[in-house]
Amino acid sequence: MRSKEIFILSLLVFIAGYSKAQTINIPIETKSNALVLQVNSNKGLNIIHFGEKLGDPKEYAQIPSTYKQAEDYTGVLNSAYTPSGSRNLMEPAISVTHADGNNSLDLKYVSHNIFKIDENVTLTSILLKDPAYNFEVTLHYKTYYKEDVTEQWSVIKHHEKGNVILNKFASANLYVKADSYWLKQFHGDWAREMQPEEAKLTHGIKTLDTKLGTRANIFQPSVFMVSLDKIATEDEGKVLYGSLEWSGNFRIDLELDNQNNLRIIAGINNYASAYTLKPNEEFTTPPFLYTFSDKGKGDASRKLQSWARDYKILDGNGTRLTLLNNWEATYFDFNENKLFELIKDTKKLGVDLFLLDDGWFANKYPRNADNTGLGDWEANKTKLPNGISSLVREAKNNDVKFGIWIEPEMVSPKSELYEKHPEWVIKQPEREEYYYRNQLVLDLSNPEVQDFVYGIVDDLFTENPDLAYIKWDCNAVIYNAHSSYLKNQSHFYIEYVRGLYKVLERIRAKYPTVPIMLCSGGGGRVDYGALQYFTEFWLSDNTDPLERIFMQWEYSYFYPAIVSANHVTDWGKQPIKFRTDVAMMGKLGFDIVVSELEEKELAFCQAAIKLYDGLKSTIWHGDQYRLANPTEGQVASMLYIDESKSNGVIFNYLVGNRYGDNSKLPIRLKGLDANKKYSIKEVNLYPGTSSSIDSEKIYSGEFLMKIGFNPDVNARRTSVVLQLSEVE
Ligand code: GLA
């Protein structure tokens, strides 16, 4: 938007010298919701409402105070950014030690500013100051009106006569009122990512956090949801979704207070991270992201997914490349000839790109297993005597693109890089090294290391301008956190992530659109901080399609299908059709030995890829409706429908083997136009099989949504893909 328009659109509200009794309401509204802040008579900034918005914003002034009976708590429990060390005795959002050693903080409202960035996006900024110390915090609320999404962060600053220590420095502090609160959270491990748990919150503090440094999400992702009053279903109930846009240690405290209200405090984890802030220096926290729906989990997901495509994910509305990956086909065991064959197979299969995985680099300590070579990013001369460029050329000759795996943040103890630059490695100088997957992490807080990591990518592209894709892996957590570069070790975890983002910024400045997959020993690093730089992510090394139905289901609450990289592999016992159908529910790839496919299997895959070409736009850019939950019945069913509600695709699977359980059938469709007429045709049939679905029948959208449709999934038809088309 042009600066002139911004100027005209921007509305500056500066309020000063108001009388002591005056209260000011600051409603931060989106299409359906409002977060209403109130400046009370003591200039404290409190949250008086979070949830559905009112038709007349003036009525917010009539919201009764919750604390009539407990005046002592006024402005403490529901503070919009709770300081510590003065009147507040609850979990703080911010806690500091001033330059003079004093530990108290109070924050009073000074002014606020509402800036309309464009028709849909508004930034509300509120300045708070401590009356006793020259210390200030600006709260920022960036709202996306149509999507009902808010990003909230804070900027902390002071002008004291020395450094201030930030002991806690949250991005956001929310305050929610309901009868009861139900937290849905996720846990995981390698090959078991995104395992859901849902339970009622009890009094006290429930903390979701990680201290792993890198691969921050592997045990505990930062995405969560809280249902209000009762567990929200797919289509009903009030639910808040939250997540931190940060690829490192995070901490989210959910405190059910003595007045039965929920305080949510989210930010970078302050674990081992007390931050020394110089006078006039700004500390900007990462955004805490949230959306709220009173129409259930499905509506909340679609809002978040559409926001992510429009505003966050790199090229979120663009296209993606289908691919053949060699990891499970070869592991470390390959040479140029073998790869040439795989490149030919890529063409034969009909996908866009061949992706060369781990094992292609290092000479002194060749990368023939996972315990050597990381850091030495020259092609291995024995395996690839003619380098990467000959592979890129071969791909071009075969009319496919070429992509490559790197793990640039890591170093093997057996590597030339480690020998040359031991000071670049994260380790405790006085302690024995401790490895995760036989490797160590490079110190990205060090600008020299940032240059090195940037250089890995830049060199690959400079030497191979036709290189079309990168898989960026990150397999180790940070043990023995210590930087030989940093003077203040308490800054390490934060500076690591800042360093990573600096590198990614530089890469994107020079290579703005090249697709890069975010991978972390499976799905160890998936968050919207990182996804600004990546076009897709690897959900898990677990590609057993039955497991994937569940895992992709859980990821889909927070992430759209276009970023979900799903590969057909040999994991699991399901036939190739089942495996391919599941992988099609996102960004399709293959990691199989094409030459070992039977004739029919190959023919099926080739046809599936062609079919996918026609469906992918609906899957990637359409709205997603979860129809039948695999955790609740025998059948899983997921629908994607385009904006015009004319074209859809429904994936259906048998996920249980109980006899005669038809209770969830027929499956009621969602998101259609009740007045449109549709036909339903089964697609992606395995060669030699026929469909039991009558594609000649015509249904109204109303019928399909009120009565439903039976995809006829059964033991002989475990996986059924249906194409829904509007009939004129
Ligand atoms: C990680 C990734 C895999 C593969 C291997 C290579 O585990 O998740 O997909 O790339 O590394 O070592």
Side-chain angles (χ1 to χ4, degrees):
M1 177 172 281
R2 288 182 300 274
S3 58
K4 204 168 166 195
E5 279 172 84
I6 292 171
F7 180 75
I8 296 165
L9 277 170
S10 79
L11 172 65
L12 184 73
V13 183
F14 182 76
I15 295 135
Y18 52 90
S19 78
K20 207 164 183 294
Q22 203 172 358
T23 59
I24 303 164
N25 286 341
I26 309 169
I28 297 170
E29 292 187 324
T30 55
K31 190 173 171 200
S32 316
N33 304 324
L35 170 74
V36 184
L37 302 164
Q38 184 172 72
V39 183
N40 68 11
S41 51
N42 288 322
K43 296 192 192 174
L45 183 72
N46 301 321
I47 296 174
I48 57 164
H49 176 69
F50 177 90
E52 297 123 295
K53 76 176 183 189
L54 301 178
D56 178 3
K58 284 203 277 311
E59 284 206 295
Y60 294 128
Q62 300 188 49
I63 294 175
S65 165
T66 336
Y67 314 109
K68 285 273 185 297
Q69 310 87 342
E71 283 295 334
D72 285 352
Y73 293 126
T74 304
V76 174
L77 289 180
N78 60 336
S79 168
Y81 197 69
T82 319
S84 80
S86 48
R87 290 178 307 137
N88 166 55
L89 303 176
M90 310 305 284
E91 183 59 35
I94 182 164
S95 162
V96 308
T97 303
H98 293 284
D100 65 3
N102 185 289
N103 282 330
S104 73
L105 184 68
D106 201 1
L107 291 170
K108 301 289 188 190
Y109 170 87
V110 177
S111 63
H112 74 282
N113 180 20
I114 301 166
F115 181 72
K116 210 157 182 322
I117 294 170
D118 63 27
E119 276 314 303
N120 195 44
V121 188
T122 304
L123 180 66
T124 304
S125 307
I126 306 174
L127 177 62
L128 307 173
K129 276 191 177 164
D130 188 333
Y133 283 86
N134 203 342
F135 186 98
E136 65 185 60
V137 177
T138 308
L139 305 179
H140 294 280
Y141 302 81
K142 189 172 184 185
T143 52
Y144 300 82
Y145 190 84
K146 217 161 33 87
E147 297 80 9
D148 280 320
V149 165
T150 303
E151 288 177 294
Q152 186 182 336
W153 69 97
S154 60
V155 178
I156 305 166
K157 202 171 151 181
H158 71 89
H159 313 282
E160 298 186 19
K161 291 205 174 63
N163 295 337
V164 171
I165 312 287
L166 307 181
N167 301 308
K168 195 174 183 196
F169 33 85
S171 300
N173 188 166
L174 290 181
Y175 187 73
V176 186
K177 294 177 69 61
D179 293 340
S180 56
Y181 309 87
W182 303 80
L183 172 68
K184 182 164 179 180
Q185 62 180 105
F186 302 85
H187 67 98
D189 205 331
W190 181 78
R192 284 187 54 74
E193 291 85 343
M194 284 301 273
Q195 306 295 315
E197 285 172 321
E198 193 158 30
K200 188 174 179 177
L201 282 169
T202 53
H203 289 83
I205 302 179
K206 167 86 187 181
T207 299
L208 306 177
D209 86 330
T210 179
K211 305 177 185 78
L212 303 181
T214 47
R215 295 194 86 201
N217 289 335
I218 193 76
F219 299 152
Q220 171 89 78
S222 74
V223 289
F224 68 95
M225 56 179 93
V226 179
S227 297
L228 308 185
D229 301 330
K230 58 182 182 195
I231 295 180
T233 63
E234 204 51 35
D235 303 302
E236 274 174 1
K238 299 177 191 173
V239 63
L240 173 151
Y241 281 27
S243 181
L244 192 72
E245 297 179 28
W246 184 247
S247 311
N249 292 351
F250 64 83
R251 169 173 168 182
I252 296 157
D253 295 312
L254 301 123
E255 180 173 33
L256 186 52
D257 72 17
N258 50 316
Q259 303 244 337
N260 300 322
N261 297 311
L262 185 65
R263 312 178 66 247
I264 302 175
I265 296 159
I268 293 177
N269 200 336
N270 55 343
Y271 160 75
S273 294
Y275 195 90
T276 302
L277 191 67
K278 296 191 197 102
N280 305 317
E281 189 192 347
E282 281 189 350
F283 184 91
T284 303
T285 70
F288 175 63
L289 167 71
Y290 52 90
T291 187
F292 177 81
S293 173
D294 62 350
K295 295 181 193 64
K297 291 171 178 167
D299 183 52
S301 287
R302 283 182 292 280
K303 287 171 175 179
L304 199 56
Q305 293 185 355
S306 118
W307 168 83
R309 284 189 302 255
D310 285 351
Y311 293 105
K312 199 49 71 163
I313 294 161
L314 193 104
D315 202 17
N317 289 310
T319 183
R320 297 294 186 270
L321 299 168
T322 55
L323 57 84
L324 176 68
N325 188 194
N326 72 312
W327 175 238
E328 293 188 17
T330 66
Y331 292 106
F332 297 97
D333 180 21
F334 56 80
N335 57 31
E336 191 182 65
N337 283 338
K338 209 165 180 179
L339 295 181
F340 280 3
E341 288 308 310
L342 296 184
I343 287 170
K344 289 195 181 73
D345 286 344
T346 308
K347 180 68 186 165
K348 197 200 279 173
L349 194 59
V351 287
D352 302 318
L353 174 132
F354 175 71
L355 169 60
L356 173 59
D357 214 284
D358 196 356
W360 59 267
F361 50 90
N363 285 295
K364 185 170 175 189
Y365 304 102
R367 180 75 172 169
N368 293 328
D370 68 7
N371 56 354
T372 51
L374 285 173
D376 302 346
W377 298 101
E378 315 85 36
N380 177 272
K381 293 202 170 68
T382 315
K383 288 181 189 170
L384 305 173
N386 304 306
I388 296 299
S389 55
S390 104
L391 299 172
V392 180
R393 211 174 314 116
E394 183 66 11
K396 202 169 185 182
N397 292 341
N398 281 277
D399 198 23
V400 292
K401 294 181 193 303
F402 185 86
I404 202 160
W405 177 98
I406 50 173
E407 196 180 1
E409 295 158 76
M410 301 288 155
V411 59
S412 301
K414 276 196 197 155
S415 65
E416 290 184 77
L417 180 69
Y418 188 96
E419 287 172 352
K420 210 163 133 204
H421 285 295
E423 78 285 6
W424 284 5
V425 177
I426 297 167
K427 55 179 180 164
Q428 288 289 350
E430 303 302 329
R431 296 183 196 280
E432 214 179 300
E433 288 176 6
Y434 193 64
Y435 307 128
Y436 190 104
R437 208 201 189 202
N438 306 306
Q439 64 196 53
L440 290 161
V441 184
L442 290 173
D443 178 10
L444 267 178
S445 72
N446 182 341
E448 280 182 26
V449 177
Q450 293 167 20
D451 289 345
F452 170 78
V453 172
Y454 170 77
I456 297 166
V457 177
D458 193 34
D459 290 351
L460 276 168
F461 282 119
T462 308
E463 284 158 28
N464 306 287
D466 286 328
L467 189 65
Y469 185 95
I470 298 254
K471 176 177 175 183
W472 179 301
D473 213 335
C474 167
N475 277 298
V477 300
I478 297 178
Y479 289 126
N480 283 321
H482 178 91
S483 156
S484 57
Y485 169 79
L486 287 178
K487 291 200 177 59
N488 185 344
Q489 295 304 317
S490 297
H491 288 197
F492 170 73
Y493 286 116
I494 294 171
E495 290 303 336
Y496 184 92
V497 180
R498 285 178 174 169
L500 172 67
Y501 289 166
K502 274 185 201 156
V503 172
L504 292 167
E505 285 289 337
R506 278 169 78 185
I507 291 171
R508 283 318 185 183
K510 189 154 174 198
Y511 308 101
T513 53
V514 63
I516 309 185
M517 182 209 275
L518 173 61
C519 175
S520 181
R525 183 193 268 167
V526 187
D527 64 87
Y528 279 117
L531 283 172
Q532 309 178 66
Y533 307 103
F534 292 87
T535 48
E536 55 221 67
F537 71 87
W538 186 233
L539 286 65
S540 175
D541 282 347
N542 187 340
T543 45
D544 177 328
L546 196 54
E547 290 296 326
R548 275 283 176 144
I549 291 170
F550 290 80
M551 216 181 260
Q552 290 172 198
W553 186 274
E554 299 303 334
Y555 274 114
S556 82
Y557 285 108
F558 303 95
Y559 300 101
I562 192 165
V563 279
S564 173
N566 306 330
H567 293 180
V568 177
T569 73
D570 287 331
W571 283 54
K573 296 187 177 66
Q574 286 71 22
I576 191 113
K577 167 170 164 54
F578 193 110
R579 288 182 266 153
T580 309
D581 290 350
V582 173
M584 281 166 77
M585 299 161 71
K587 209 222 78 172
L588 175 67
F590 289 79
D591 195 347
I592 48 171
V593 185
V594 176
S595 58
E596 285 174 7
L597 291 175
E598 286 172 16
E599 203 179 311
K600 271 188 180 174
E601 290 178 327
L602 178 63
F604 167 77
C605 291
Q606 290 166 329
I609 293 157
K610 288 210 179 82
L611 173 78
Y612 182 72
D613 267 346
L615 300 178
K616 65 191 184 190
S617 171
T618 303
I619 297 168
W620 294 346
H621 309 124
D623 274 329
Q624 193 172 9
Y625 288 84
R626 289 179 291 262
L627 304 179
N629 188 332
T631 63
E632 291 169 5
Q634 301 269 76
V635 177
S637 182
M638 179 86 91
L639 161 74
Y640 303 81
I641 186 136
D642 69 0
E643 215 185 341
S644 66
K645 298 187 181 295
S646 304
N647 303 293
V649 49
I650 314 165
F651 294 90
N652 308 276
Y653 307 96
L654 187 71
V655 293
N657 286 313
R658 309 265 326 257
Y659 177 76
D661 178 4
N662 290 329
S663 57
K664 296 274 163 56
L665 295 170
I667 293 167
R668 281 194 287 273
L669 273 49
K670 299 173 190 173
L672 310 186
D673 181 335
N675 299 317
K676 282 190 171 162
K677 298 267 185 272
Y678 297 96
S679 68
I680 292 180
K681 180 180 163 205
E682 182 172 357
V683 290
N684 227 23
L685 287 162
Y686 195 70
T689 62
S690 56
S691 176
S692 55
I693 306 291
D694 181 355
S695 60
E696 300 296 315
K697 278 195 180 155
I698 309 286
Y699 308 88
S700 68
E702 182 191 25
F703 178 91
L704 292 170
M705 292 193 289
K706 288 187 176 161
I707 308 295
F709 185 83
N710 187 347
D712 196 20
V713 171
N714 59 52
R716 289 170 313 282
R717 290 162 50 80
T718 53
S719 161
V720 174
V721 183
L722 302 171
Q723 191 169 2
L724 183 86
S725 312
E726 186 188 351
V727 184
E728 296 295 334

